[in-house]
Amino acid sequence: VRGYAEFVRTAQSCHGRPIFALFCGDKDAEGRSWCPDCVTAEPIVRKELHNLPDESVFIYCLVGDRAYWKDPNNEFRRNLKLTGVPTLLKYGTPQKLVEEECFKAELVRMLFTED
Amino acid sequence: GKNEYDLLVIGGGSGGLACAKEAAQFGRKVAVLDYVEPSPRGTTWGLGGTCVNVGCIPKKLMHQAALLGSALKDAQHYGWNISQPVHHTWSVMAQGVQNYVKSLNWGHRVQLQDKKVKYFNIKGSFSDPHTVRGLTKAGKETVVTADNIVIATGGRPKYPMHVAGALEYGITSDDLFWLKESPGKTVVYICLTGVSPDVSLECAGFLTGIGLDTTVMMRSVPLRGFDQAKKNQISFTTQQQMASLVTEHMESYGTKFLKRCFPTKVEKLKNNGLQVTWKNADLDREESDSFHTVMWAVGRAPDTKTLNLETVGVKTNSETGKIIVDASEATSVPHIYAVGDITEGRPELTPTAIAAGKLLAQRLFGQSSELMDYDNVPTTVFTPLEYGCVGLSEEAAVQHHGSDNIEVYHAYYKPLEFTVAERDATQCYMKMVCLREREQRILGLHFIGPNAGEVIQGFALGIKCGATYSQMMKTVGIHPTSAEEVTKLHITKRSGLDATVTGC
């Protein structure tokens, strides 16, 4: 999904199921994100997707361009309390991994499989 | 054969986690077992131990909620247009607090994983001095072996088992912080004999502060408002004096006190309320009232029952049940250690458990020989009017040095913030216990007032460095603060003079 509104709509439509979301910076025409940490994290996270619990949903969300992200009042910062990209979180819980934490496969696996 | 781990820590609380993480820093293979036996009410929680889940953290946050309520009342005097009365919604506060605690649980999980510490959510018990076995919630058995084992299972609140209905209908601090709905009209029963009243008074304090009808029932009585002569007696017990001031304050702010009363039974009412019957020792008669919640605060017991300590020979204190350790936190069994609330004779505090755990790991794996220093540990009770202290109480100083060799300086003061808000500062008090001779080394400092914890922290360093009264008098105060009054203490108890100080 792209942007905050689409993210919220999608999350609401999955209400009742565990939702995991990865937030990354937008990608250019060549498919490269302006956020270097996101470039590193994405393949690592995708590799662990098979560990997601049954019934759960994984949302991959592009937050916007660098300028939008840097704005301290953007909707992701304000409403979802995101502090950085990439952020991988379990929606509706305090469980999340931020920036370099997303590089560690064991932490990603733990987030997907822990109660 | 070789043991699986260099270190196994049983108990993932303040002490256990600190020890495990420190050992992992030395590149050791470490495992942590943590398991929370649900309370009789069914309450349970995640990794982090008592402090994070049902102690310091939620307590201080709810104390803050109550303080904000007071601040809202004061605000009118400072010009804010706030319509009174202001109402409090328990569930909003509880959710905020509980979410924060859960983020701490998660933070610990991430840290353990990050430091390559293996975590098992199992209840462990000893098979032999190097082997611990446990069952997961699903019933699967796991066996862990280690060269060194640290027991850090802490304690749980006690129930007054002689009171009918205590277990079925009463809750403890384990449950209070996790309630989804307001506890409503509450009675907190404290048994003061040999037990510090901190938890109970703190809870009763914030419950009153958020607007709930709260009663504290106590079997014995904290020393009541004392006359001038007694105020200056050096032989007063500090805890009684401070407890008295703190409870006087609570009483003036709306907490009801039932003194010299003890409950005999708790029964369930048709409307889901609870009928509590108690004996009033003063009036020598039975009394009764209905409450929405009954909370027991009769002390904490060490969590050792299911550890199987007898099998491996770890000695415990026959009276308290706590594990006996020496200055290096070693138990009676080689390679088995213990830290935190579970240990006999140690303060039941998070920072001492953390420090002891870290130092133990450094001694085991880091070629250190530094022992934990339990002297001059500063503490604070977060009652509505806070009480912070460091060092010796008056009576401990007298016992150690004799009352002729002690000088006690004291003062009643008024925090500046109270003036415009027209708040009563009768109980704002401080005293400094010093040696009488020469430079007058400071042995202890006691402070009752707002932000007591913040005030005492800095002075703890001074005491650690052997600060004297002379040095304190040469220390310039920060103005205007309450803490500066410490640097201006000059009235002695011995002089019998009025200890009330006025502002500038």
Side-chain angles (χ1 to χ4, degrees), chain A residues 94-96 104 106-107 110-111 114, chain B residues 99 102-103 106 109-110 113-114 116:
Chain A
Q95 290 164 346
K96 63 178 180 178
K104 305 196 168 110
E106 323 85 56
L107 289 181
M110 186 173 81
L111 179 71
E114 280 293 302
Chain B
N99 276 342
K102 286 182 185 157
S103 75
W106 174 250
R109 292 285 287 110
V110 170
Q113 181 75 265
D114 220 25
K116 312 250 184 292

Side-chain angles (χ1 to χ4, degrees), chain B residues 407-413 428-434 440 442 444-448 455-456 459 468-475 477 482-493 495 498-501:
Chain B
E407 195 73 271
V408 180
Y409 297 91
H410 68 159
Y412 286 89
Y413 68 98
C428 290
Y429 175 78
M430 60 181 74
K431 71 176 174 182
M432 194 156 69
V433 181
C434 308
Q440 304 199 330
I442 304 170
L445 180 63
H446 303 263
F447 178 96
I448 293 183
V455 171
I456 289 290
F459 289 115
T468 65
Y469 178 77
S470 313
Q471 288 172 316
M472 184 68 84
M473 290 308 108
K474 294 203 185 85
T475 306
S482 298
E484 67 174 309
E485 300 299 336
V486 176
T487 66
K488 290 148 69 179
L489 282 167
H490 60 284
I491 310 274
T492 63
K493 274 200 175 182
S495 68
D498 177 16
T500 310
V501 297

